[in-house]
Amino acid sequence: MLRCAITDGAASGFVNATQMDRLQIQVRRWTADGIEFIQLREKTLDPGALFLLAEIASQTLRETQSSAKLLINTRADVAVAARAHGVHLTSHPDELRPQQVRELFTHAGLPAPIVNISCHSPTDIARARHNAADLILFGPVFEKRVKGELVTAGAGLEALALACTIAQQVPVLALGGITPANADQCLQAGAAGIAG
């Protein structure tokens, strides 16, 4: 089972020592747990601050001698500058395509990147497969509640199974409301792993 750990987006403003320490602790814990992919998802940070966190995550991966791959959320330029292993893209039609990200890495003299794409519909999944994504994150599979209030409805296990069928050879990771109690259901629906 593949697993992708995604940072919570809590970093904001200028990156300070507390945020750096927190990221190092997270990365160390995830690598100790054998996580395969770490997605740095800090949407509110400017590119310089994101780059700093990416460097810290990369350094921590080297120190732990982990085989986990660092993916930067939507910022291929930061991923290249930080020598990350890849990029996470959205399924928006105006987003960079995997081939464009691969060309950026090639021009920078870096190994071919891992490109994952978040998808929420059959159309998104077909586009991601057509554009040769390495991984597809499909979700939300299960509903999300905060303080008892429904925040996001889940697509369900049948939608996940359909996503896996459409994706064909591209591994699909289930995202959204995944817990130890329901992870096996996602795998039985055809997912190659989970993300969260």
Side-chain angles (χ1 to χ4, degrees):
M1 171 176 71
L2 296 174
R3 294 171 297 157
C4 179
I6 304 170
T7 62
D8 60 11
S12 61
F14 295 104
V15 174
N16 59 40
T18 301
Q19 292 168 332
M20 291 186 279
D21 289 345
R22 185 171 181 263
L23 179 62
Q24 283 182 318
I25 291 167
Q26 279 183 321
V27 171
R28 286 182 191 283
R29 187 179 76 239
W30 290 333
T31 59
D33 288 342
I35 297 293
E36 288 84 4
F37 303 100
I38 296 173
Q39 182 181 324
L40 189 56
R41 182 183 184 266
E42 302 295 333
K43 294 181 176 183
T44 63
L45 293 181
D46 66 50
L50 182 61
F51 172 75
L52 179 58
L53 286 184
E55 282 201 313
I56 289 165
S58 291
Q59 178 183 352
T60 306
L61 288 174
R62 285 191 299 276
E63 288 171 0
T64 60
Q65 298 180 352
S66 172
S67 61
K69 307 298 183 200
L70 177 63
L71 309 176
I72 307 300
N73 202 74
T74 70
R75 296 299 306 247
D77 56 341
V78 172
V80 167
R83 303 177 70 83
H85 300 100
V87 179
H88 169 80
L89 302 174
T90 70
S91 57
H92 191 279
D94 293 335
E95 180 75 85
L96 285 172
R97 291 184 310 281
Q99 185 55 38
Q100 292 170 313
V101 172
R102 291 182 184 106
E103 289 170 7
L104 287 170
F105 273 67
T106 297
H107 288 305
L110 297 174
I114 296 163
V115 182
N116 73 2
I117 299 178
S118 60
C119 296
H120 310 287
S121 71
T123 302
D124 292 346
I125 295 160
R127 186 182 315 114
R129 185 194 73 229
H130 175 76
N131 287 328
D134 296 304
L135 290 169
I136 292 172
L137 274 61
F138 176 76
V141 176
F142 300 104
E143 69 181 23
K144 179 179 178 182
R145 292 185 174 271
V146 176
K147 297 181 181 178
E149 296 292 321
L150 181 65
V151 175
T152 307
L157 291 168
E158 287 182 17
L160 174 60
L162 177 61
C164 296
T165 299
I166 295 169
Q168 296 177 2
Q169 76 284 358
V170 181
V172 174
L173 303 184
L175 174 69
I178 310 302
T179 66
N182 63 29
D184 281 343
Q185 293 174 310
C186 296
L187 299 177
Q188 290 170 7
I194 57 172

